[in-house]
Amino acid sequence: MAFEKSCGAIVYRKFHGNTEVLLIKHLKSGYWSFPKGHSEGDETEVETALREIKEETGLDVFIDTGFRETVTFSPRRDSTKMVVYFVAKAKNGDVLPQASEISETKWVEINKAMSYLTYDNDRVIVSKAKAFIALMK
């Protein structure tokens, strides 16, 4: 059984008094999710998340390790994948999608994110992130 590990984040910003999260639409599969990707070498989870967010969106972010949630699933019959998600605050809102992997990006008010997300696991994560972000001032 193969094992894969990816790390990423629910990237958010405050915009006109609202909390918005960044969603990405994957080019090959067409599903909406959050920036994430595979660890390389001896990267830490945070280093992987920072690199993948930068590669996929062009954004620099502040990662809050106080929020760490995992999702485990089986993308293929003979493999297990674990995704580690953090919450990350965008330093700016100027997204530059990675054309080879991302077909579209969208800042969405956090309460509306559920209607875009393709997978239930992502809906659970964004609900938890929403509660976490609400506690931050």
Side-chain angles (χ1 to χ4, degrees):
M1 171 91 52
F3 178 77
E4 299 175 48
K5 183 177 182 181
S6 290
C7 301
I10 292 77
V11 178
Y12 77 98
R13 70 178 182 179
K14 299 291 186 176
F15 189 72
H16 296 300
N18 293 317
T19 299
E20 295 182 334
V21 293
L22 181 66
L23 302 181
I24 60 169
K25 187 174 186 182
H26 295 267
L27 188 62
K28 292 179 184 172
S29 64
Y31 72 86
W32 286 96
S33 188
F34 309 106
K36 65 183 175 300
H38 293 96
S39 299
E40 293 180 0
D42 59 353
E43 285 180 325
T44 66
E45 291 175 347
V46 170
E47 288 169 340
T48 299
L50 286 168
R51 179 182 50 75
E52 286 291 339
I53 292 164
K54 182 70 171 180
E55 286 177 5
E56 291 187 353
T57 70
L59 290 175
D60 291 311
V61 299
F62 296 106
I63 290 202
D64 190 329
T65 57
F67 181 94
R68 183 187 179 276
E69 292 287 331
T70 61
V71 174
T72 304
F73 60 98
S74 191
R76 294 176 299 281
R77 189 174 17 164
D78 61 343
S79 69
T80 300
K81 182 170 184 171
M82 180 175 77
V83 182
V84 177
Y85 286 108
F86 298 100
V87 162
K89 186 171 185 177
K91 293 182 182 180
N92 64 54
D94 302 326
V95 181
L96 181 61
Q98 183 181 23
S100 63
E101 291 188 26
I102 310 301
S103 64
E104 192 176 342
T105 63
K106 186 180 298 250
W107 285 106
V108 179
E109 202 280 320
I110 198 164
N111 293 317
K112 295 179 181 172
M114 298 277 201
S115 64
Y116 286 93
L117 294 167
T118 303
Y119 296 110
D120 288 338
N121 285 339
D122 288 342
R123 291 184 191 100
V124 170
I125 293 293
V126 83
S127 291
K128 290 180 179 181
K130 178 183 170 187
F132 181 83
I133 293 166
L135 296 174
M136 300 165 50
K137 296 294 177 203

